[in-house]
Each structure stands twice: as C-alpha cells, then as structure tokens.
Amino acid sequence: MRTRPFAAVVAAGALLAGCTTAQAPAGPTSSGVEVVEAAAPAVDPTVLPAAEGPDVAMRLADDLPPPTNRWFSGLVFGDESQPVFPLPLAVDVTASGFAYGLPDVRADGTLVAGPFVPQVAVDLREPVTGQVSGYDAATVSVDLVAGDGTVLGELRLTRGSPVLHYTASRDQDVRLSQTFAAAGDLPDDVAAADVDGRRHVLVGSDGLDVTAALAGDGGTISLSAGDAVSWLVEPDTEDGDTEDGDAGTTALADLVEAVRDPVVASQADYATGDGQVTTAVRYETAGGGDAVLVRFPHQAEAADEAACGLGTYATVLGTAELCLGDEIAWHSPARQPVLGLDLSGLSTEQRDELADQVRADVEAALAETRPADTYFGGKALARDANLWMLALDLGLEDEAASLHDSVVADLRTWAEPDGCTTRPERCFTWDPTLRTVVGQAVSFGSDEGNDHHFHYGYFLYAAGVLAADDAALAEEVAPVIDLLAADVAAAAEVDAGDGAPMPALRVLDVVMGHSWASGPSPFADGNNQESASEAVAAWHGLALWADASGDDALSQQARWMLSLEADSARAYWTDFDRDDPVAEGLEASVTSLVWDGKRERATWFSAEQSAALGILVLPVTGVSTYLGDDPDRVRANLAEALGTDDLWSEADTWDVMFGDQLLMYAGLLGPQDAEAALEVARDLPDERVDDGSTRSWLLAWLMTRAAA
C-alpha cells in the first residue's frame, strides 16, 4: 500500500485519497460526493537549491513520502517509536511486537487526558522493528520486521475505528498478554477476554477459527502465513456501562460479523456549496462489506447512511458514537475568504481617526526591517498587506504606494527561487530528506517540518492580497508561492525527481478535520496543534492566493479546507461541548493545545491565561467571524482569559498578552461590545499589539464591528 493522489473537480470540489492496493469505485459516495482523480500541482521543488536534510531515522518504506505532520508520525521518526492514537484505540509498536489499549479518558482542572496504557500485548517472540509500509486518508500499514529483514506480519491501524488488524506473513506462534477463550454468547470461532471490566474480542478473517488456533492456555495463538486476526474493543452503552444483556449481545455479534471483513484502504472526498461543505471518508473492506467505525463530535452533522447508535467510546475529543457503514460523512458551515475590511459604514470622524493611525503605522513599517525567519517574516508581510489595504480604502495614495513598494520588494526577495544560493535568509530551500520546502532562517523547528502551514499561510495571504489585482506580480512570484502552497496542501503527490514524492495534504488530518503542527511528533501523546486559528488562516491565505493566481481547482479545495478546519477549531479548541460526559471535571473553557492523547489549556510559550485564548484568535482577518458563532461562549472564554466577568469596568483588564487579539475577539459579541472594545483599544499599550497586527487594523476591525 502507498498513498494515492487526492483528486479535485471544480464543479463538485471533490478530493480523493486512496490506496493502490484497493482501488475505490468511481462515482458518487453514499453522501453524493463525486470521486474524480486530480493531477498534481504544476510545481517543481528542484527549482530551489537543495539543502542538507535533518539527520533523522525513518522507519518507512523507500518509495513513500515521509509522513511529517501526521497523527502517526511518531511511528516513523526518531530513535524509538512513539505510541499513536488511531482513536478510539491507542497503539504502540514494542520491541517484539505491538500493544494496544482503550484509553481511560479523564478530565481534571485544565486537562482532558487519555494516555496510551497497554491492555493487550502481542509478542512475536523475537525482536522486531515497525516500518510503515503504506498509508492513505485513514489507514496505516506497519510491517513488523525481524533483524534479518524478514517481515513477520503486517499491523493495520484504522483512524476512527475500534478495530486493530494483524496479518501473519509466515507461520508463527504469537503470545498474548491476556487469556482469550470462547464465549458462549458469541460465535464458536470467536474468542474474548475480560480486560479492566471490558470485553476485547478476537476475530479471525477468511474463515480462520480463532478458538481452534488458540493453545490450551488461551494465551498463545498459532497462525499460518496469510492468517489474519482482528481485535475489537466493545463499546459503552447509553447508560455508560459496557455491553451486556440480550440487546448488547446482539449488537456485539453484529459487530463481530463486520470485523471478519477487515478494512484494507480508505479515501477522503469533499464537495463545496454556498452554505456548507461536505467531507466524506470511505472505508474499503476486503469483501466490500460495512466497517466498524466511530463518529466524532465534529462529524455530528451527518451526511451519510451509516447505522449508528451502537454504543459509544470516550475519547479526549469527546464522546464518539459507534456505527456500521462504509462511510463517515458530515457537513460543516461554508466559510468564504474575505479580502480586507468593509469600511463603508464608518463615519467621517472615524475615517479621519483611522487615517491618522494608518499614517503613523505606515511610517513605522517603512522604518523597520522585517524579520528574516519564515514565521515572523511571514507575519510582517501579512500585517503590512493589511495595512496597505486600509491605506488604499482611506484614499491615502502616497502612504499606500510607499508601503506597497516595500512589501512587494520583500515578497519578491522571498520568492527568488535561487535566493539561498547567495544569502542565508529570506529564501527557501528544498529538503530532499523530508521532501519539504524549508525557509531560511528556520524558526520553531521548521527545519524538522514543524508549523509549515502556520508560517507559509502568512506568505500565501500576503501574496493573495498583493496580487489580487496584479496578474503580473502573481505570475512573477508563483514558482515559489505555489511551492509553499504545495508543501502544505498539494492536492496530489508531487514528483520531485530522485526519491519519494512530496506528499499530498501534508498537514491535514481529514478524518479529524484539522491539521497537525509537529513534523516528527516525538511525543507519547501523539501529534499536536496549538494555534488552530493560524491553521484556519493558512487555508484562508491559500484561498486568496488561488483566487489571485487563477487556480480554480485550488480555490475550491482551499474553501473546503478553510471550512473544515474552522469547524473543528470550534469543536475542540474554543467552543467544545462542555456538557459532554468527557468534559466532566474540566474547568477550562478553551483547550488551546490539542493532542490525540490529551487536550489542555496550555501553550508552548506562556503560562498566562490570556495566551491560551489569544493564540486561538490570531491573526484576525475578515474570515475570523467564524469564532463568533456562539456569542455566549465568546463571553465565557474572555471571562476566563481575563479573570473577570466584568469585561469593561477597567481598561487595565486588557493590558495582557494578546490584548489586541482579545479585544478584536470581543468585537464579535456585537456592536455595543465592539464600541466598548474600541474605547479600550485607542489607549492599549503598544507592547500589547501583536507583531502580526497594527493598531490601525485593531481600530478598523472594531469600528467595522461597531457599525455592523
């Protein structure tokens, strides 16, 4: 198995991600999404100078794109494999096999934790190394390789399924850490074990009688080459107990029959519309039957025909509902890119005030040298692109022209394909090891693949703004800007010459509806993402750039990604369901750092409560209105971040980290609160204005909200 290109069509906006070992049928999914193959973007990474890649161990088949920024990256990178979380299960490759468990999810204070704890270990009785041999939208295959290079078996993980699958590559006796035996209420060829008060069921595929293959003590199973077994962990029922009674037995028996037909591949598709986007993940089984799947909270607006209500599992993201079907599909509210702010409702006095501030901010921008790294450098370009739009809209022709020349000059510098041959910064290189584009100088581990969508989203946004009405500029910077877009969001694998291709959709986890920020993910809690708002901003920038460069297919894809990420950002970072049983005991209104194995109100850079919310707001643009869909939650989040329910009694309340971002967030509460925020914003200390924004943008945003 290996990755297969994503596909896109302008009319339906469909994407496809599948596996070459199991070709999906063409035509619409059960949710009506058309599946159409797409070409790779017309980019050439080798136009950039090659850089020496990181010295990193990779447990990966030679022809596969290195899977940085994936939920399973910890299996591939680093000296030792890390646990990963297909969810609802957690899995680890051990020194002699593998182990899995169903995390015991608990909330306490500012943390929801569901760490990997092994409940069933599978011992192949000799040292092995796990090597990822294939992956697609929702499945990962791991070869368990002995010291002599022999593959003992293949472990298959399925994102969004409580089933783990193993196929023996040669005859072997496998030792189990739990005793499995026949159960009277299940078919005779199926075995079960009670583990921590919950049944784990062992099922054979292709007619394999598991009970006959088990040794007398139930702790060893004899497998011949080609034999396949799966483990299923039973769900909770509606009352919170595990399955029991006649109804529970019937439901579990139905699940067992589905488990006999294992998932072998998956694909992801989408469709865009004026009011909503639809995302569909199809799961292909060996025999074409239904799969055992779960529906996560962000997928609640169902668009498929899966039979659900079969039980639940607690995950750190919330309660997941168990389903039988070949697809999980869901709707998300459509979000459209927004170019600038609408100043038409401002009074003459407001325009005059704003013009004075724009003049001051333009003067300051022209007096500074923008940062040289990709994160802060990109933020500065996007910041000044916004400032340029304000100057234009206010009729400040001289200021607009001067700032435009400055920003475009810097953008052109960054967009020189061979820039890194003559200078050590403000340029990009091609990393042939990780198959990724790396900006020089690096920041926040960007040379390891970290945060590329955060960084490059700012460049895409700036280029989209500046080239919106300048086709010549778009054509000039396209060779590099298109590479930045492809690096984080290519619709299909990109051939880069010798070696594996650049991956499709490098950072986006389609099943979970959001991106991952760590490149190698060297963590026991899986991958993580902090600034969900910067991920949203990345796809906003992608959409603006696609529009400016005339790429209609990318424009549809970007709108889907923007809508999908915004919906998940609210579902798990800012507006999650506090009444979900999983959240019982959680005392935080936001969880600013989301992992597969935990969620927490914390940041990588500050212990201040305002930081935990501010990092989920910045950068504020015209599309940031998605954050205000629930005004009551906006007010609650602000009260937590600021330590008071009385937001406007003291101006000093806002003299905190990200004070300007929180004021703009408060502007989403309505005109009255926006007016109150505007009064505070005028005198907010300069150091509280984020380096990716200006006081001009702060005032303009709040003025437009107050006039709404």
Side-chain angles (χ1 to χ4, degrees), residues 424-508:
E425 57 189 26
R426 294 185 175 85
C427 58
F428 295 95
T429 61
W430 168 246
D431 173 1
T433 301
L434 296 181
R435 317 303 283 177
T436 187
V437 177
V438 178
Q440 307 296 316
V442 300
S443 54
F444 301 107
S446 57
D447 55 330
E448 299 177 350
N450 294 349
D451 299 350
H452 280 200
H453 56 315
F454 296 165
H455 297 206
Y456 301 166
Y458 288 110
F459 287 91
L460 292 165
Y461 180 86
V465 169
L466 293 165
D469 296 311
D470 190 342
L473 177 62
E475 184 177 2
E476 179 183 353
V477 301
V480 169
I481 300 301
D482 280 344
L483 269 175
L484 300 186
D487 188 63
V488 295
E493 293 175 0
V494 176
D495 184 7
D498 292 341
M502 179 189 290
L505 291 188
R506 183 189 299 274
V507 302
L508 183 66

Side-chain angles (χ1 to χ4, degrees), residues 628-705:
D629 283 4
D630 183 353
D632 289 340
R633 190 57 173 270
V634 171
R635 196 173 297 278
N637 291 348
L638 284 167
E640 176 178 274
L642 298 169
T644 178
D645 292 329
D646 191 352
L647 301 181
W648 308 116
S649 61
E650 299 287 342
D652 287 350
T653 298
W654 302 87
D655 187 6
V656 294
M657 179 178 284
F658 297 137
D660 66 326
Q661 306 299 305
L662 299 188
L663 283 167
M664 288 188 277
Y665 185 59
L668 297 171
L669 290 168
Q672 184 175 350
D673 286 279
E675 188 65 49
L678 182 59
E679 289 299 316
V680 175
R682 291 187 172 102
D683 296 317
L684 188 73
D686 289 344
E687 61 269 21
R688 297 309 188 185
V689 178
D690 184 65
D691 52 12
S693 189
T694 60
R695 194 179 300 273
S696 295
W697 191 255
L698 169 62
L699 298 180
W701 168 268
L702 292 172
M703 287 176 179
T704 60
R705 302 305 302 172

